[in-house]
Amino acid sequence: MNPIANRYTELVGIDHPIVQEGLGPFRTPKLAAAVSNAGGLGTVSMPGMPTDLDAGARTFREHIEECAALTDRPFAVNIPVGVDNNGVVLPFTDIYIRTVLDARRVDQSLAAQLTVLTTSAGFPGDYIAMIKDAGLIHQHKVGSTRHAVKAAEAGVDVIIAAGFEMGGHAPSKAVHSYVLLPNVTEAVDVPVLLTGGVRDARGLASALAMGADGVAMGTRFIASTANSDWHPTYIQALLDAKEGDDVAFDGVYGPCRGLKNAASLKLLNHQEDGTGEVIDAVELTRWKIESMQRAQTTGDITDGLVLTGQVAAAIDDIIDIAQFVPNMAAGAADILRELASALPDTEPAFS
């Protein structure tokens, strides 16, 4: 018996309301499959923004198929909506979304597993109808209540409320989880997930108490035995992180959170190169993504951008996802039951 079943678990077809966040720009199919096999929802991330986007799309398709081969449970993909200064969607977003839709269209068995598409960063606009018409559940990540309402009214199925303490690309409004989540759950009728600051059963229980239907985690899942594709030095850097070791810097789509090091401090210092000249915007974007990938693949935690949430300061162990996910759900249910049992048997003070 699943300890926490609600409208989100029923919508997505999973056992526990626990989602693995998008964790690009490197490989995540093994990690995604492990989370899905454990009863949560794993997520395959897009493979960066290479110069040859067709090659990137082929890599993305390979990662999706690898995940599908490792699990028979539902899983998701994550695609940021990048836009230029005029608000026009960047080509990589269009190519990657169409790659997902094409993969499902030609492979019915894959379509039965790849059931969720998560967008983030910019507003998905016309893609909302395209995603819905393809039969996918559409999750969209937001950092403000206004954006949550806009997305829900446009037809998005699930809202992910992103607190500013989250790792990777953080919301530009810089609203933290305990402020943002109750505002969003009051403002929309669709299921809401919290991302940012959650690492265990207590975080899930508190999110549910604030009206959420589940949580999404990134940093917690990076430090797991299933994440064998990432360099161990990167993972150790997260385990060694203490409070205050993280910083929000200028990322690809807005603020980005990672560890303080030469790479992140370089971005804080006016995005200048070693000669003191301002780097071209396109070149700077590619440098950022390549720097993120280099940290994940080679363990360059000095000159590579080490993405992490503030929650890394509270993580000091490597988890077995197969045990962790169901135990986290069961632990959250126990916490809520214990709190409820401690209340006097009277009428509620408010509703």
Side-chain angles (χ1 to χ4, degrees):
M1 180 176 177
N2 301 332
I4 302 173
N6 57 27
R7 59 177 179 170
Y8 181 72
T9 59
E10 293 173 4
L11 173 67
V12 181
I14 58 178
D15 297 334
H16 312 299
I18 299 169
V19 176
Q20 170 235 323
E21 265 276 30
L23 292 171
F26 187 47
R27 296 179 59 86
T28 55
K30 292 179 184 177
L31 184 57
V35 174
S36 289
N37 284 333
L41 183 71
T43 302
V44 176
S45 300
M46 72 166 208
M49 194 171 64
T51 303
D52 185 347
L53 290 178
D54 290 332
R58 289 192 293 271
T59 300
F60 194 21
R61 176 72 175 268
E62 291 170 0
H63 290 183
I64 290 170
E65 291 177 347
E66 180 181 354
C67 181
L70 294 171
T71 183
D72 59 1
R73 304 299 301 271
F75 67 93
V77 292
N78 179 76
I79 303 174
V81 180
V83 296
D84 62 18
N85 292 334
N86 297 317
V88 178
V89 175
L90 296 177
F92 80 86
T93 295
D94 184 79
I95 288 176
Y96 286 158
I97 289 178
R98 293 182 187 279
T99 294
V100 172
L101 302 189
D102 289 343
R104 296 182 78 255
R105 184 164 51 247
V106 302
D107 188 337
Q108 292 302 308
S109 62
L110 177 64
Q113 292 178 259
L114 175 49
T115 56
V116 180
L117 191 151
T118 301
T119 53
S120 57
F123 183 64
D126 294 339
Y127 292 100
I128 296 175
M130 185 185 300
I131 293 167
K132 185 177 291 291
D133 290 345
L136 282 159
I137 297 166
H138 185 185
Q139 302 183 154
H140 184 60
K141 188 187 301 184
V142 302
S144 73
T145 305
R146 180 174 66 85
H147 289 157
V149 171
K150 180 180 180 181
E153 290 179 345
V156 168
D157 300 300
V158 179
I159 297 296
I160 303 178
F164 191 54
E165 60 267 56
M166 69 170 287
H169 287 95
S172 60
K173 298 300 182 183
V175 183
H176 288 268
S177 294
Y178 266 68
V179 177
L180 179 65
L181 179 60
N183 289 348
V184 171
T185 58
E186 289 174 0
V188 301
D189 294 327
V190 300
V192 176
L193 305 177
L194 170 66
T195 184
V198 178
R199 63 181 169 99
D200 58 18
R202 294 169 295 179
L204 175 56
S206 64
L208 295 172
M210 289 188 286
D213 298 270
V215 297
M217 299 184 296
T219 305
R220 175 64 280 184
F221 284 133
I222 292 175
S224 67
T225 56
N227 192 20
S228 58
D229 285 326
W230 291 33
H231 200 283
T233 301
Y234 187 108
I235 297 172
Q236 188 61 48
L238 303 192
L239 298 177
D240 292 340
K242 301 295 185 290
E243 292 177 359
D245 286 349
D246 65 290
V247 64
F249 53 85
D250 183 26
V252 179
Y253 317 109
C256 201
R257 186 174 300 283
L259 294 182
K260 292 177 182 175
N261 63 7
S264 59
L265 293 177
K266 176 179 180 179
L267 291 176
L268 288 174
N269 188 27
H270 310 295
Q271 293 77 58
E272 294 182 348
D273 63 15
T275 65
E277 297 177 356
V278 176
I279 304 173
D280 174 78
V282 174
E283 290 301 316
L284 179 60
T285 296
R286 293 200 183 282
W287 177 84
K288 291 173 183 176
I289 294 176
E290 290 170 358
S291 179
M292 295 170 188
Q293 290 176 319
R294 187 170 65 255
Q296 295 169 358
T297 58
T298 71
D300 182 358
I301 60 172
T302 300
D303 295 312
L305 293 169
V306 182
L307 306 184
T308 181
Q310 287 187 332
V311 74
I315 293 174
D316 58 9
D317 63 333
I318 302 290
I319 58 169
D320 177 352
I321 288 175
Q323 297 179 0
F324 177 83
V325 169
N327 287 347
M328 178 176 171
D334 287 344
I335 290 170
L336 294 174
R337 278 193 291 266
E338 183 177 353
L339 291 173
S341 67
L343 297 176
D345 188 16
T346 60
E347 291 296 320
F350 64 90
S351 59

